[in-house]
Amino acid sequence: MKTADLTVDELQALIRKVVHEELQNIMADPDQHLELTDEIKARLELSLGSTDRITLQEVKNLLKLA
């Protein structure tokens, strides 16, 4: 079937489906089914307990995004 053969409603439904699938792919969490290792848990706990913070601008500068 060619897109030229689709009705307006069928084309709109196809576009909605494609956009929905792409948004799902973009927003999906690739680590969703992975477990945290003990090492990562310890690093997270250490980080959460720390009062050291850097600003968003500092992060941008470090990553050369600014």
Side-chain angles (χ1 to χ4, degrees):
M1 177 184 291
K2 295 181 181 180
T3 54
D5 298 332
L6 297 175
T7 66
V8 172
D9 289 339
E10 290 171 330
L11 181 58
Q12 287 176 339
L14 177 61
I15 292 169
R16 276 190 203 93
K17 179 181 177 187
V18 170
V19 169
H20 177 76
E21 288 174 359
E22 286 304 309
L23 287 173
Q24 290 292 94
N25 289 336
I26 291 169
M27 298 177 77
D29 181 0
D31 299 330
Q32 174 178 348
H33 301 290
L34 298 178
E35 291 188 30
L36 291 177
T37 63
D38 290 338
E39 177 187 356
I40 297 298
K41 286 179 186 177
R43 289 177 60 190
L44 285 170
E45 288 173 4
L46 183 64
S47 178
L48 288 171
S50 171
T51 58
D52 295 336
R53 301 288 184 260
I54 61 174
T55 66
L56 176 60
Q57 188 59 50
E58 290 172 304
V59 172
K60 286 180 179 181
N61 292 342
L62 287 170
L63 298 175
K64 299 182 186 339
L65 299 174

